[in-house]
Amino acid sequence: MEYAIDFGTSNTVVARINDKGEVETVKLADYSCLIADNPPLIPSLVYVQDAAKEQVLIGQEVSDRGFDFQVRNPQNLNNEQRFFKSFKRAIGSNVSMFVPELDGREVEFELVGEWFLKKIIERLPNVDSLIFTVPVDSFESYRNWLGGVCEKLAVNQVRILDEPTAAALGYGISGGDETLLVIDFGGGTLDLSLVKLSFAQVQIETNQSKSPLDFLLKWGDRTIKNSSPSNNPNSQTAKVLAKTGQNLGGIDIDNWIIDYFHKELGLPKNSLVTRLAERIKIALSSQESVTEVYFNDQTFESYELTLTRSQFRQILEQQQFFGNLDSALDRVRQQALRQNIDLANVDAVLLVGGTAQIPAVREWALQHFPSQKVKGNKPFEAIAHGAISQGWELKDFLYHSYGVRYWDKRYKKHNWHTIIKSGATYPLEKPVELTLGASIADQPSIELVIGELGETNVEVYFEDQRLVTRVLDGKQVAAQILNENSKAIAKLDPLGQVGRDRLKVLFQVDEKRTLRITVLDLLTKQKLLEDIAVVQLV
């Protein structure tokens, strides 16, 4: 059986197609949180009982035992270190952070995430294949980590789909062509995607006969082919027109509320205050004013934490929250205009994710779009339901750019030269060429540092044992090195000399999304490397 998993910063949703052929959200005993008017969500929480034996509690069973309400003090500091939330954001990032040692073992966020998903997947019956949804701004290291987790569990097939595109499919179509703007605002990320859904007659050649497809996902002239053709002659097409994303989500808003009460009341920054801040944020979605009580069992003082919607909006404005939303929308608008598409003509604006349910977010959307177009009736399940609604063999476009690192003499620091631009379809029509030379006399070899490049206007850093987001004044290049352990691409014989072109490097991305290189020695006319895989771009 195939399952779709929307692994979220705050909550995780699992979906499948049941025996009746209907898409349903899977409820897992002990793990799922059952709240009125909400689908069965699995809180993305982990409590480590014994790290050496890999014994952990996850989801609702963490809350049921009260571990998410542990207060940081000398009596329960160990419990505090054993409790993990919002760990998804740190997975695959290059942020330096505190790594606790529990039971003689260092527990990194990647390991916590692995334990969390492992417990969920092991509870699912008859797992043949999995579809994971990921933020559009996720780096390949995060996608590779997902693949590694599934490889350890011997899952036969793993596919990946970006979250806002899945959300558009999850809301479905009304029977005609539609252009949808998806605003996916969860606990850790903000993703916007413009997707064109339409009916089309599509046929493909097979070894035996022609068969129609249910869904195709296109970027330019590239196509995602369905792995299990259906008997429906009216196949549907989902074309991604534009998308953008950034590290900004509900946990940042929680941190801003904590900072507000820390400044106003002198409250400490611990897990209990964090949980209270989260409860206040959620309650303000349906109430004009919320009050929670915090009791400090060390000083025996109690505090009333009161926040109104007006005060909450002021906090958001001070943190440039709405400016960030405007910037993200502008990036999608610019991409759309390059294709002669006006966002004013979209058929619907879909609000997805818990953070998108904040009234201030909906009010922001209504400032840009008519009320009849803004929809938010499926905030938690749309992504997982959209991912499982069809069988996918994903071949998406390259969202990030890829480049090589060089020493910038002008600014006296390393910088990046782009070799493959964002939005490129693959396999590449022709290889990208780069000529290299020696930087010192008698150089024995040449190294090439290859990185995945993106842009960001937010900085994520670790403070007071929490991941914090800070809005930057301008955009910065965000880069992750892909070949950390294999930088040397060629030994030079004879030795390289300054001022002479020595190597020609050909870069190619094949149909399996693998970055490959061929290296030619311009002096000896020999091929030193031919079509060597550098990294799998999952």
Side-chain angles (χ1 to χ4, degrees):
M1 180 174 288
E2 187 171 51
Y3 294 86
I5 299 179
D6 174 21
F7 172 34
T9 303
S10 301
N11 296 291
T12 295
V13 180
V14 181
R16 67 183 175 191
I17 298 178
N18 60 25
D19 295 335
K20 299 178 181 179
E22 301 169 338
V23 177
E24 67 175 7
T25 301
V26 178
K27 180 177 68 175
L28 297 179
D30 300 326
Y31 298 165
S32 297
C33 176
L34 304 179
I35 300 178
D37 300 326
N38 274 358
L41 307 176
I42 302 173
S44 300
L45 305 174
V46 171
Y47 183 82
V48 181
Q49 294 175 303
D50 191 320
K53 297 180 180 179
E54 298 191 352
Q55 295 177 349
V56 299
L57 301 174
I58 73 163
Q60 186 59 30
E61 62 182 356
V62 177
S63 296
D64 288 343
R65 289 164 174 78
F67 292 126
D68 55 338
F69 262 99
Q70 296 292 341
V71 183
R72 182 182 289 118
N73 61 46
Q75 283 70 41
N76 58 24
L77 178 59
N78 191 43
N79 284 343
E80 175 77 18
Q81 292 181 339
R82 292 179 180 274
F83 169 65
F84 293 85
K85 66 175 295 186
S86 305
F87 46 86
K88 175 190 173 183
R89 170 179 278 186
I91 294 173
S93 72
N94 54 8
V95 179
S96 299
M97 58 191 69
F98 170 73
V99 178
E101 182 175 324
L102 304 174
D103 309 310
R105 183 176 186 177
E106 286 191 351
V107 179
E108 298 177 340
F109 286 97
E110 285 80 2
L111 183 59
V112 174
E114 179 181 324
W115 287 339
F116 177 76
L117 292 178
K118 181 180 179 181
K119 295 275 281 188
I120 291 176
I121 295 170
E122 288 178 342
R123 182 69 66 88
L124 301 175
N126 305 318
V127 179
D128 295 321
S129 62
L130 292 172
I131 303 172
F132 277 102
T133 59
V134 299
V136 297
D137 204 30
S138 63
F139 280 97
E140 302 298 342
S141 55
Y142 174 74
R143 300 179 181 219
N144 283 326
W145 169 81
L146 277 178
V149 171
C150 294
E151 186 176 351
K152 292 180 181 179
L153 295 172
V155 178
N156 293 331
Q157 187 178 33
V158 179
R159 290 175 284 179
I160 292 175
L161 179 65
D162 70 76
E163 292 171 357
T165 302
L169 299 174
Y171 268 89
I173 64 177
S174 61
D177 294 355
E178 287 190 347
T179 301
L180 308 177
L181 174 65
V182 182
I183 301 175
D184 179 12
F185 211 167
T189 55
L190 166 66
D191 291 335
L192 276 71
S193 184
L194 187 65
V195 181
K196 175 75 172 180
L197 301 182
S198 62
F199 283 99
Q201 294 286 338
V202 181
Q203 301 285 333
I204 60 170
E205 296 285 347
T206 65
N207 293 332
Q208 299 176 346
S209 63
K210 294 183 178 182
S211 301
L213 300 181
D214 276 341
F215 264 102
L216 299 176
L217 180 58
K218 292 184 177 179
W219 176 266
D221 58 355
R222 296 298 302 163
T223 304
I224 294 179
K225 295 183 179 180
N226 190 312
S227 61
S228 55
S230 75
N231 295 320
N232 180 11
N234 294 321
S235 61
Q236 302 164 40
T237 300
K239 183 177 181 181
V240 181
L241 304 174
K243 58 184 179 180
T244 187
Q246 61 179 275
N247 275 309
L248 179 67
I251 59 175
D252 299 302
I253 296 175
D254 297 340
N255 288 332
W256 298 339
I257 294 174
I258 293 169
D259 292 338
Y260 169 80
F261 285 118
H262 176 74
K263 180 180 179 180
E264 295 293 322
L265 303 177
L267 258 64
K269 299 177 181 180
N270 58 42
S271 58
L272 177 55
V273 175
T274 299
R275 182 64 185 272
L276 293 175
E278 183 181 20
R279 284 171 54 165
I280 289 172
K281 176 191 67 179
I282 294 172
L284 283 173
S285 295
S286 58
Q287 303 174 39
E288 289 294 333
S289 178
V290 179
T291 298
E292 293 282 353
V293 177
Y294 170 75
F295 176 72
N296 190 324
D297 59 0
Q298 289 182 296
T299 63
F300 301 104
E301 294 177 307
S302 61
Y303 303 85
E304 283 193 352
L305 282 62
T306 300
L307 197 65
T308 65
R309 277 193 185 179
S310 176
Q311 291 171 320
F312 183 35
R313 186 178 183 88
Q314 289 177 6
I315 293 173
L316 296 178
E317 289 174 347
Q318 290 171 359
Q319 297 293 335
Q320 304 178 47
F321 177 75
F322 300 106
N324 251 324
L325 293 180
D326 290 339
S327 297
L329 184 61
D330 285 342
R331 287 195 293 273
V332 171
R333 179 181 288 109
Q334 291 168 10
Q335 293 179 45
L337 286 175
R338 286 196 288 268
Q339 303 174 67
N340 297 318
I341 298 172
D342 188 347
L343 287 189
N345 297 326
V346 297
D347 296 293
V349 178
L350 310 180
L351 300 180
V352 180
T355 304
Q357 306 312 299
I358 294 175
V361 175
R362 184 176 181 85
E363 292 169 5
W364 170 83
L366 292 174
Q367 292 174 1
H368 296 275
F369 302 97
S371 59
Q372 66 269 21
K373 291 186 178 183
V374 179
K375 306 178 186 301
N377 59 302
K378 204 172 182 181
F380 297 108
E381 296 176 292
I383 293 175
H385 284 196
I388 196 62
S389 61
Q390 307 296 329
W392 296 92
E393 181 182 344
L394 186 61
K395 295 182 179 179
D396 204 354
F397 69 94
L398 299 177
Y399 177 70
H400 286 117
S401 299
Y402 297 87
V404 295
R405 193 176 69 181
Y406 69 94
W407 180 254
D408 192 328
K409 295 181 179 179
R410 180 178 179 182
Y411 296 102
K412 297 182 179 180
K413 65 175 184 178
H414 283 111
N415 211 329
W416 294 90
H417 172 74
T418 301
I419 52 174
I420 301 173
K421 293 184 178 181
S422 170
T425 58
Y426 57 92
L428 300 181
E429 292 184 2
K430 60 180 181 179
V432 177
E433 295 185 4
L434 185 67
T435 302
L436 304 177
S439 57
I440 60 174
D442 299 327
Q443 188 167 320
S445 63
I446 288 182
E447 293 185 346
L448 197 62
V449 178
I450 301 173
E452 182 182 13
L453 313 180
E455 281 190 346
T456 182
N457 65 335
V458 295
E459 178 186 22
V460 181
Y461 60 96
F462 202 65
E463 178 185 84
D464 295 327
Q465 297 194 14
R466 55 178 185 153
L467 281 172
V468 178
T469 294
R470 179 173 66 89
V471 179
L472 303 172
D473 293 333
K475 292 182 180 180
Q476 291 186 358
V477 174
Q480 288 203 358
I481 296 175
L482 300 178
N483 61 330
E484 185 67 47
N485 299 320
S486 56
K487 298 176 184 177
I489 62 168
K491 293 183 178 180
L492 303 181
D493 184 17
L495 300 177
Q497 303 299 326
V498 179
R500 296 180 181 177
D501 293 342
R502 183 59 187 268
L503 299 181
K504 178 183 288 186
V505 184
L506 305 179
F507 297 88
Q508 174 63 276
V509 179
D510 64 18
E511 68 280 355
K512 295 182 179 179
R513 198 169 168 152
T514 303
L515 180 65
R516 316 182 74 90
I517 63 172
T518 296
V519 180
L520 174 67
D521 191 323
L522 297 175
L523 180 63
T524 64
K525 307 300 182 183
Q526 294 181 343
K527 281 188 178 179
L528 305 182
L529 297 174
E530 185 171 10
D531 201 31
I532 299 298
V534 176
V535 64
Q536 178 68 45
L537 309 180
V538 176

